[in-house]
């Protein structure tokens, strides 16, 4: 059968996103299977939501340390940052310092694309804590990343009275013992390391701040240990693989979030190409980078074949200094190789994906990913983030044996990474990765079975609702007024010829989170397709009015070329009679009350349809302010679902 949906309600249709290979069972129209599936998912979600709320409720009642305002020493440290802060970076720092000044322990997640300056936010938080005698633990998923953070923190904090130390397998046993003793005595201010920091022999008596880099890459056991440690200390988590927007909403009010979306000044997008294996072309690529004094990452996904790949690279660039790096190497040898590349003693580093997390080599501006079809989407995105971290143009080449014989899933993955070659694409890549591979491990618990039943978006909506219910908050209003129009209000095929594009803009406009978003979308439409025809202007005016009608819990609206008729259900919330009469009195020449619950508003004489609808909306805004004073002017109201 066929179900028709008004275009202003296109937000009710969701694309199914589930674990890779999941095929949802289709239900009959009017059948009961869907209700059973959502009920099962809801029961599973209840437990997750309860655990979430309990964990964060414990933090709410825990008494944290309240930091005073930043002093002169902090301002001096701030001034040693060698770049201009981006607006998002400044806001993230402000958010973190504000959290640290409160009695309640901080739990903030900073999301930002690769190289967008999350480390600077962590540096300032760590310095702030150290200045007040608190110890800081910085956990990293890999030893190489821990080593790089150690060098960065030590270099920035050396001129100040802050002692930085590192614990990882790179550190000799005797040195580890000395560091542990110093930490136990409170003589180490910032301790950086891998999950080694979670060992029982690590004691930090004055621990005040825990910084987690790429938290999602730690295992379940490590997360359990962190959970116990973090109940009454400040926690700052950093991630370059952003969580989906809907998950941010699910955690709204429980875990605070700062997003760094602004790219640093002078940063250029990495030019990306998908190529077949061709020796002559690869030789040219290496030669070009080496001739401009740069360095090259050559990434291969198997440790076993890495030595052969190194020989092949040496044949392509006989004069280059080449090193090899992978996680199974002797610790000292790996450290020396990474150091050598960092200090430009090597020209080409042949390595596994060990370099994907957070490492910063500004002079490396060409990346070659060998057998690119073997890598995941998130991995490819992270790898590409290793180059292009300076003002120089960077290049990424994804090399495959044959473009024609690629598996379908690899083709889709590589197509996405090629399309998303602009700065700040990390959010979209994370969403696409989720769609291709499935949601995997959400909130520390494998929930792919529930997600397969109902799809990711609905799963997260249900989770958000359940969290609100457990916290005793009022359920979200799902009022969706029914609209009847006696004039054209749509996106004509003659204006946007491509059906997919039309659907995209219908969805974008019907889910826009406020006036600002709608204005931006209107500007985009004008820019791409020309001046807005009358049906498009009418459609946008209707959507704006619908937002106000939702706030007023109206059941339906009939819109004519010269008037609007708005009705409320008798059993619905309605509007208190005294407010309605008070609102109508000064407007009796244009507004009429029709029992049992309908208001008719006439447009001003000679007004066009969009102007008439805008007039109705402005008049109804006055009613909104009377019945819901906190709502303010709905012209600029931003729905919670906004980014």
């Amino acid at each position: 059968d066929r179900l028709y949906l008004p275009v202003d309600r296109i937000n009710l249709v969701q694309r199914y996103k589930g674990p890779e290979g999941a095929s949802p069972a289709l239900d009959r129209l009017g059948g009961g299977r869907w209700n059973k599936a959502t009920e099962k998912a809801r029961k599973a979600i209840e437990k997750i939501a309860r655990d979430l709320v309990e964990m964060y409720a414990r933090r709410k009642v825990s008494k944290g340390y309240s930091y005073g305002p930043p002093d002169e020493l902090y301002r001096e440290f701030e001034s040693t940052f060698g770049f201009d802060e981006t607006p998002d970076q400044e806001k993230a720092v402000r958010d973190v310092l504000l959290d640290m000044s409160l009695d309640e322990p901080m739990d903030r997640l900073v999301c930002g694309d690769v190289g967008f300056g999350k480390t600077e936010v962590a540096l300032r938080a760590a310095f702030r804590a150290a200045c007040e005698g608190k110890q800081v633990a910085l956990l990293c998923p890999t030893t190489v990343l821990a080593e790089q953070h150690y060098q960065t923190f030590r270099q920035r904090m050396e001129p100040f009275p802050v002692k930085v130390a590192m614990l990882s397998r790179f550190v000799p046993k005797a040195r580890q013992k000395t560091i542990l003793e110093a930490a136990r005595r409170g003589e180490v201010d910032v301790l950086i390391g891998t999950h080694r920091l979670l060992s029982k022999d690590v004691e930090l008596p004055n621990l005040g701040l825990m910084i987690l880099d790429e938290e999602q890459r730690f295992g379940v056991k490590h997360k359990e240990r962190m959970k116990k440690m973090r109940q009454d200390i400040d926690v700052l988590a950093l991630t370059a693989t952003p969580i989906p927007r809907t998950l941010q909403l699910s955690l709204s009010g429980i875990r605070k979030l700062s997003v760094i979306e602004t790219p640093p000044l002078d940063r250029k997008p990495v030019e990306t190409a998908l190529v077949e294996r061709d020796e002559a072309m690869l030789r040219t690529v290496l030669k070009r980078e080496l001739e401009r004094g740069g360095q090259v990452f050559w990434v291969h996904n198997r440790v076993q074949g890495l030595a052969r790949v190194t020989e092949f690279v040496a044949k392509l660039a006989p004069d280059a200094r080449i090193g090899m790096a992978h996680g199974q190497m002797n610790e000292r040898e790996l450290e020396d190789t990474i150091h050598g590349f960092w200090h430009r003693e090597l020209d080409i580093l042949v390595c596994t994906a060990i370099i994907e997390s957070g490492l910063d080599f500004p002079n490396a501006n060409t990346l070659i990913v060998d057998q690119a079809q073997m890598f995941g989407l998130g991995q490819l995105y992270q790898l590409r983030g290793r180059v292009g971290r300076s003002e120089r143009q960077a290049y990424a080449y994804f090399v495959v044996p044959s473009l024609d014989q690629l598996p379908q899933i690899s083709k889709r993955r590589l197509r996405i990474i090629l399309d998303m070659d602009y700065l700040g694409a990390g959010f979209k890549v994370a969403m696409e990765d989720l769609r291709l591979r499935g949601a995997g491990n959400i909130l520390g618990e494998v929930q792919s079975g529930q997600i397969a039943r109902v799809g990711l978006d609905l799963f997260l909506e249900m989770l958000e609702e359940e969290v609100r219910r457990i916290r005793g908050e009022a359920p979200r209003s799902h009022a969706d007024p029914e609209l009847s129009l006696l004039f054209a209000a749509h996106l004509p095929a003659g204006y946007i010829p491509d059906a997919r594009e039309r659907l995209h803009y219908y969805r974008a406009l019907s889910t826009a989170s406020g006036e600002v978003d709608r204005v931006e979308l209107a500007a985009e439409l004008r820019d791409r397709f020309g001046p807005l025809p009358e049906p498009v202007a009418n459609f946008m005016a209707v959507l704006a009015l619908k937002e106000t009608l939702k706030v007023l819990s109206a059941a339906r609206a009939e819109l004519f070329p010269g008037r609007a008729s708005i009705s409320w259900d008798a059993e619905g919330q309605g509007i208190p009679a005294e407010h309605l009469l008070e609102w109508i009195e000064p407007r009796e020449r244009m507004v009429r009350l029709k029992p049992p619950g309908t208001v008719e508003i006439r447009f001003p004489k000679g007004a066009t349809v969009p102007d008439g609808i805008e007039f109705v909306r402005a008049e109804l805004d006055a009613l909104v302010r009377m019945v819901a004073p906190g709502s303010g002017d709905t012209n600029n109201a931003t729905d919670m679902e906004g980014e």
Side-chain angles (χ1 to χ4, degrees):
D1 211 337
R2 196 173 284 190
L3 284 172
Y4 288 93
L5 185 76
V7 286
D8 63 278
R9 290 188 172 186
I10 201 120
N11 56 304
L12 296 177
V13 179
Q14 290 176 341
R15 183 177 185 165
Y16 173 85
K17 296 180 192 128
E20 186 61 43
S23 300
L26 295 180
D27 197 2
R28 294 171 186 273
L29 286 175
R33 185 188 289 164
W34 173 250
N35 288 341
K36 285 177 187 168
T38 50
E39 197 47 45
K40 276 187 180 174
R42 201 175 296 282
K43 281 182 179 160
I45 283 165
E46 271 177 31
K47 184 181 182 311
I48 308 171
R50 204 174 301 111
D51 290 350
L52 252 182
V53 173
E54 277 174 18
M55 184 171 101
Y56 285 92
R58 278 198 297 273
R59 287 183 61 79
K60 282 273 184 193
V61 296
S62 298
K63 201 80 171 141
Y65 179 79
S66 173
Y67 292 82
D71 56 13
E72 282 305 311
L73 193 63
Y74 174 83
R75 296 295 172 207
E76 197 182 324
F77 175 75
E78 202 175 39
S79 68
T80 61
F81 183 47
F83 306 92
D84 291 332
E85 294 92 345
T86 64
D88 287 353
Q89 212 177 7
E90 283 181 335
K91 186 180 181 306
V93 170
R94 278 200 308 275
D95 291 344
V96 168
L97 292 182
L98 177 63
D99 286 355
M100 292 175 77
S101 70
L102 303 175
D103 285 342
E104 182 189 313
M106 169 172 73
D107 193 358
R108 183 168 288 277
L109 177 66
V110 176
C111 282
D113 224 329
V114 270
F116 276 33
K118 299 182 298 292
T119 306
E120 182 60 24
V121 178
L123 274 159
R124 295 192 190 181
F127 190 81
R128 187 79 202 84
C131 282
E132 295 212 14
K134 292 291 178 184
Q135 290 176 294
V136 180
L138 194 168
L139 272 80
C140 313
T142 66
T143 48
V144 177
L145 184 55
E147 164 74 8
Q148 191 158 60
H149 273 319
Y150 171 64
Q151 297 293 348
T152 304
F153 272 67
R154 196 180 64 171
Q155 186 184 344
R156 282 290 300 282
M157 294 182 176
E158 205 165 26
F160 301 92
V162 177
K163 179 148 192 227
V164 181
M166 180 178 72
L167 275 184
S168 79
R169 58 192 177 96
F170 283 159
V171 181
K173 289 280 188 285
R175 174 82 184 127
Q176 283 194 33
K177 202 172 174 185
T178 309
I179 290 167
L180 287 170
E181 280 300 322
R184 199 172 291 123
R185 292 195 300 270
E187 292 166 11
V188 173
D189 299 303
V190 181
L191 186 58
I192 297 168
T194 56
H195 54 268
R196 171 76 179 84
L197 297 192
L198 302 173
S199 307
K200 287 181 180 169
D201 61 344
V202 178
E203 290 177 41
L204 297 164
N206 303 320
L207 182 62
L209 171 66
M210 184 189 284
I211 301 171
L212 306 169
D213 198 356
E214 299 297 343
E215 176 185 30
Q216 75 279 8
R217 297 191 59 196
F218 288 94
V220 176
K221 282 183 183 172
H222 300 141
K223 283 183 179 172
E224 285 304 311
R225 174 98 169 101
M226 284 181 215
K227 210 183 280 183
K228 286 176 188 164
M229 289 174 72
R230 65 198 276 182
Q231 279 185 24
D232 55 0
I233 61 166
D234 289 333
V235 177
L236 177 63
L238 315 172
T239 180
T241 309
I243 52 178
R245 180 172 71 105
T246 36
L247 185 53
Q248 297 171 19
L249 294 176
S250 300
L251 300 178
S252 176
I254 289 183
R255 189 174 205 186
K256 294 175 183 172
L257 178 77
S258 294
V259 181
I260 303 179
E261 288 185 285
T262 326
L265 209 62
D266 300 327
R267 182 68 60 82
K268 296 183 179 79
V270 178
E271 283 196 17
T272 309
L274 176 61
V275 296
E276 286 189 350
R277 198 176 186 81
D278 178 314
E279 285 192 31
M281 186 274 297
L282 292 170
R283 186 179 286 110
T284 306
V285 166
L286 293 176
K287 188 179 177 198
R288 184 186 61 193
E289 186 59 58
L290 298 178
E291 279 180 350
R292 65 172 184 168
Q295 294 167 288
V296 180
F297 286 118
W298 187 299
V299 182
H300 183 76
N301 76 320
R302 293 278 183 271
V303 172
Q304 288 78 4
L306 211 58
R308 282 199 310 278
V309 174
T310 308
E311 288 169 18
F312 174 68
V313 174
K315 196 172 77 176
L316 295 179
D319 299 329
R321 299 166 298 172
I322 301 170
M324 185 171 75
H326 58 79
Q328 293 174 23
M329 284 170 71
N330 169 284
E331 294 149 26
R332 186 58 58 194
E333 195 183 345
L334 178 60
E335 183 186 30
D336 290 346
T337 306
I338 297 290
H339 265 273
F341 192 69
W342 199 1
H343 293 295
R344 304 189 189 184
E345 293 160 11
L346 296 170
D347 302 311
I348 303 171
L349 186 65
V350 180
C351 56
T352 57
I354 192 172
I355 60 151
E356 76 174 273
S357 276
L359 297 171
D360 192 0
F361 299 92
N363 196 48
N365 282 302
T366 290
L367 166 77
I368 295 168
V369 180
D370 208 347
Q371 302 288 341
Q373 76 281 4
M374 310 289 282
F375 291 83
L377 180 58
Q379 267 188 320
L380 290 171
Y381 188 75
Q382 290 278 10
L383 286 168
R384 187 170 64 187
R386 295 311 105 219
V387 295
R389 298 170 76 95
S390 67
E391 65 283 354
R392 244 184 205 190
Q393 182 59 59
Y395 303 89
Y397 298 89
F398 297 127
V399 182
V400 295
S402 163
L403 289 170
D404 298 330
Q405 292 171 19
L406 276 179
Q408 202 55 40
I409 188 80
S410 300
K411 271 186 186 167
R412 283 162 64 199
R413 192 181 292 137
L414 291 161
R415 171 53 48 206
I416 289 161
I417 204 79
L418 289 175
D419 289 346
M420 296 186 181
D421 61 349
Y422 50 90
L423 294 169
F427 282 82
K428 285 200 169 63
V429 168
M431 280 304 291
E432 290 297 334
D433 197 20
L434 208 61
R435 186 172 65 76
L436 286 175
R437 291 192 299 117
N441 197 357
I442 285 190
L443 306 176
E445 230 178 290
V446 176
Q447 286 300 328
S448 55
Q450 311 309 330
I451 291 164
R453 276 196 186 102
V454 298
L456 177 72
D457 287 346
L458 184 58
F459 175 89
L460 293 169
E461 273 178 34
M462 290 163 77
L463 177 62
E464 184 196 358
E465 278 176 24
E466 187 58 27
V467 165
R468 289 177 70 84
R469 189 189 69 76
I470 292 171
R471 293 170 71 195
E473 294 176 19
R476 277 201 194 297
S477 166
H478 292 294
D480 195 3
E482 184 184 312
L483 303 180
S484 298
L485 315 178
L486 271 79
F487 48 79
H490 60 103
L491 304 178
Y495 184 59
I496 305 177
D498 185 80
R500 278 178 175 237
E501 291 235 74
R502 267 200 319 281
L503 187 61
H504 162 74
Y505 280 107
Y506 271 130
R507 178 175 285 282
L509 287 164
S510 65
T511 57
S513 58
E515 183 71 4
V516 175
D517 281 5
R518 279 190 292 272
V519 168
E520 282 180 4
L521 283 163
E524 190 179 314
L525 286 169
R526 281 191 205 95
D527 187 45
R528 290 194 62 188
F529 306 105
L532 304 183
E534 190 180 336
V536 179
N538 292 348
F539 182 55
M540 297 194 75
V542 167
L543 290 177
L545 175 63
K546 188 176 178 182
E547 286 302 306
T548 305
L549 296 176
K550 280 183 182 178
V551 177
L552 291 169
S553 301
R556 68 195 64 83
E558 292 176 275
L559 303 177
F560 303 87
R563 60 193 168 88
S565 182
I566 296 142
S567 306
W568 286 265
D569 282 338
E571 69 273 11
Q573 293 175 28
I575 303 288
E578 63 273 19
H579 284 320
L580 202 53
L581 293 170
E582 187 186 335
W583 174 74
I584 289 172
E585 192 178 348
R587 299 172 174 80
E588 55 189 16
R589 292 183 61 184
M590 65 191 70
V591 179
R592 276 196 303 167
L593 180 60
K594 292 182 167 184
T598 300
V599 164
E600 188 176 274
I601 308 171
R602 287 191 298 278
F603 294 179
K605 201 169 181 182
T608 62
V609 169
D611 288 345
I613 294 172
E614 179 54 40
F615 169 78
V616 170
R617 186 172 71 142
E619 293 303 315
L620 288 172
D621 275 340
L623 182 57
V624 168
R625 287 192 289 272
M626 290 169 72
V627 298
S631 297
D633 185 354
T634 56
N635 283 2
N636 298 309
T638 312
D639 192 277
M640 227 193 101
E641 290 191 0
E643 286 269 351

